[in-house]
Amino acid sequence: MILKSIISCFICLTILFAEAKPPKPTILVTGGGGYIGSHTIVELLNDSYSIVVLDNLSNCYAFNATEKPESLKRVEKLTNKNVVFNNIDIRDEKSLDKVFKTYKIGAVIHFAALKSVSESTRKPVEYYDNNVAGTNTLIQAMQNNKVKKLIYSSSATVYGNPQYLPLTENHPTGQNITNPYGRSKYFTEEILKDLSYADSQWKIILLRYFNPVGAHPSGLIGEDPTGIPNNLMPYLSQVAIGRRDHLKIFGSDYPTPDGTGVRDFIHIIDLASGHLRALKKLMDPEFRGCKAYNLGTGKGYSVLDLVKTFEKVSGRRINYQITDRRRGDLATVYADPNLAEKELKWRAERYIEQMCEDTWRWQMQNPNGYHTDEEESN
Ligand code: NAD
Ligand code: UFG
């Protein structure tokens, strides 16, 4: 009898103690309807963060402007949790201010940006306005509302043409960047560094992604490019499913083992979990200033390696043609991921086979991405 009471007392105390744990802060995710944002939100929700998303729907599909993007509806289905959504542009300071006044935001993960390298060469002003001025407006709204913790989606593109490999975070940035998109990432990094020098209360992490590919293993969410894909993996999988006739391989005369470009492909789930680790770092009271981390695997695979692996896992033949090099492309790019391992306690775990398998599952289950109508998604 006494033992029974002691046990039930112990259980009650355990429950009380667990309940007394402070709730995790609410995270504002800009561009959360997009590819990397939606996968990161799954990881954040599974780790008990509350999420507020803002996205202007410029590159994610929603049935109409008042509805949540389809990607976020599926995130809710996957996690059984709710995501608050606001259709807001990051350049709209008044609306941003309202969001900060409505929700108690602990930190911001800033994905929202235009990301097409080729489009940026045709529309440089739009890219600088959206990506650089947009981030400036966001940080002003954060400053006005005393929210000074930020994770910024940067890119390996800030390193320009590698002077050595693997790329470490202290490799020079801003030199020989071949397009306005890349420069918009570099300029924004510089603004954020200046901000942290000027005001020591700011805590900023710059995550430099290498080449994110793959999809959630459920096949429910994945990459859904509008129009003709610019990037290798979505193009490859659309050829495999029969939506495109053949892949053009841009150059086979690079100084690489098989002559095709070499990249550090990283599975989207590894990339997403990197954000979770970065957020933990940002919340650490010891963390100060503005710090950059590479999110890559540290291994390079060629375009032909990826094509062959995709053929193996999908059982489909990929038609391809070797064409001229694409302007601005680099021969070989891969990360040194050791700093993230040491300081964020993060390391990519998934292999190239899994990247292809998960992409293929997403592509088969969603031949037209989030659209139900083929016309619309082409
Ligand atoms: P994405 O286009 O899928 O997602 C970006 C989201 O931001 C979209 O949903 C879009 O509607 C939204 N958005 C764009 N401009 C906005 C604005 N002004 N206001 C509000 N919302 C806006 O792109 P992604 O692949 O998920 O990339 C996310 C971030 O990662 C971007 O900053 C991108 O530059 C960076 N990045 C991506 C890659 C990659 O290969 N995917 C590589 C390196 C860095
Ligand atoms: N490639 C092809 N055919 C295609 C598309 C790409 O052969 O249809 C080749 C490219 O020439 C390159 C490789 O595949 O050798 C990878 O090209 P992607 O366009 O997929 O990716 P990039 O490395 O050019 O750039 C990507 C993102 C950038 C980001 C960069 C970070 O698009 O936003 O990774 O390393 F900055």
Side-chain angles (χ1 to χ4, degrees):
M1 184 66 190
I2 295 174
L3 186 68
K4 229 177 164 182
S5 321
I6 292 173
I7 291 173
S8 52
C9 232
F10 179 74
I11 291 171
C12 286
L13 277 174
T14 314
I15 292 170
L16 267 177
F17 187 71
E19 280 177 355
K21 251 171 110 181
K24 292 219 165 131
T26 298
I27 308 301
L28 178 68
V29 181
T30 75
Y35 174 45
I36 305 175
S38 54
H39 287 80
T40 302
I41 292 171
V42 171
E43 300 302 307
L44 292 168
L45 289 171
N46 285 340
D47 202 35
S48 304
Y49 286 97
S50 301
I51 302 297
V52 174
V53 168
L54 58 88
D55 198 300
N56 68 356
L57 305 182
S58 60
N59 199 34
C60 63
Y61 174 70
F63 185 66
N64 64 46
T66 56
E67 276 198 34
K68 266 177 203 167
E70 182 60 24
S71 56
L72 294 182
K73 288 186 184 169
R74 296 194 187 184
V75 165
E76 289 181 330
K77 196 168 151 191
L78 253 175
T79 58
N80 219 5
K81 290 188 175 158
N82 181 49
V83 176
V84 176
F85 174 71
N86 297 273
N87 180 351
I88 286 175
D89 193 297
I90 51 163
R91 291 162 294 182
D92 176 355
E93 196 173 353
K94 256 195 187 152
S95 299
L96 288 181
D97 197 60
K98 223 165 152 187
V99 169
F100 283 108
K101 299 233 163 3
T102 309
Y103 308 99
K104 198 175 173 309
I105 304 294
V108 177
I109 306 184
H110 177 32
F111 294 105
L114 297 175
K115 65 161 182 179
S116 161
V117 169
S118 58
E119 188 185 51
S120 79
T121 60
R122 296 190 303 274
K123 302 178 178 173
V125 179
E126 275 183 34
Y127 269 68
Y128 291 128
D129 182 46
N130 201 82
N131 296 2
V132 183
T135 305
N136 223 26
T137 306
L138 173 71
I139 56 185
Q140 266 162 22
M142 289 175 70
Q143 189 133 286
N144 293 341
N145 289 280
K146 302 193 169 44
V147 178
K148 296 187 176 180
K149 294 191 183 80
L150 175 71
I151 294 177
Y152 174 65
S153 291
S154 190
S155 164
T157 195
V158 301
Y159 295 120
N161 199 356
Q163 294 171 16
Y164 59 82
L165 288 163
L167 286 157
T168 55
E169 287 80 353
N170 54 17
H171 182 283
T173 57
Q175 296 171 18
N176 307 313
I177 300 176
T178 50
N179 56 77
Y181 163 74
R183 275 188 288 276
S184 79
K185 292 279 143 186
Y186 167 69
F187 294 152
T188 307
E189 280 202 358
E190 295 303 296
I191 292 171
L192 295 174
K193 285 178 198 164
D194 285 342
L195 176 64
S196 84
Y197 296 139
D199 177 352
S200 62
Q201 285 178 351
W202 274 90
K203 296 176 180 220
I204 302 171
I205 291 183
L206 313 172
L207 294 179
R208 295 180 179 151
Y209 313 150
F210 281 69
N211 287 59
V213 294
H216 192 275
S218 64
L220 269 184
I221 58 171
E223 185 171 12
D224 180 23
T226 326
I228 301 169
N230 291 300
N231 298 115
L232 177 61
M233 186 66 118
Y235 204 109
L236 185 55
S237 63
Q238 290 192 7
V239 172
I241 200 86
R243 248 175 91 177
R244 316 252 163 229
D245 179 61
H246 68 279
L247 173 75
K248 287 187 188 124
I249 295 185
F250 300 137
S252 60
D253 56 350
Y254 283 106
T256 60
D258 64 22
T260 65
V262 167
R263 292 293 181 275
D264 187 336
F265 299 102
I266 172 168
H267 195 293
I268 187 72
I269 303 295
D270 282 328
L271 192 79
S273 75
H275 289 75
L276 207 62
R277 306 305 311 187
L279 194 56
K280 288 209 168 91
K281 183 82 178 169
L282 201 67
M283 295 300 176
D284 179 347
E286 305 278 290
F287 181 81
R288 298 262 172 281
C290 177
K291 188 115 209 234
Y293 294 97
N294 288 336
L295 292 186
T297 64
K299 289 185 206 74
Y301 286 97
S302 75
V303 174
L304 275 173
D305 287 334
L306 198 72
V307 171
K308 284 180 196 147
T309 311
F310 205 98
E311 284 185 326
K312 197 173 84 194
V313 307
S314 67
R316 303 268 173 117
R317 228 181 91 81
I318 309 289
N319 288 327
Y320 67 80
Q321 267 175 20
I322 309 274
T323 66
D324 289 344
R325 291 181 179 192
R326 185 170 65 178
R327 235 179 98 203
D329 269 352
L330 302 168
T332 303
V333 181
Y334 58 91
D336 180 335
N338 286 321
L339 191 67
E341 176 158 21
K342 188 164 158 241
E343 295 189 6
L344 302 182
K345 317 280 177 247
W346 170 89
R347 185 165 197 97
E349 288 167 356
R350 291 159 180 83
Y351 295 103
I352 188 172
E353 284 79 10
Q354 204 171 343
M355 301 178 202
C356 293
E357 273 164 20
D358 291 337
T359 303
W360 182 230
R361 187 177 307 101
W362 153 254
Q363 184 69 74
M364 278 197 301
Q365 289 180 22
N366 308 272
N368 300 309
Y370 291 117
H371 299 72
T372 44
D373 177 353
E374 192 170 342
E375 288 292 294
E376 255 187 298
S377 62
N378 280 335

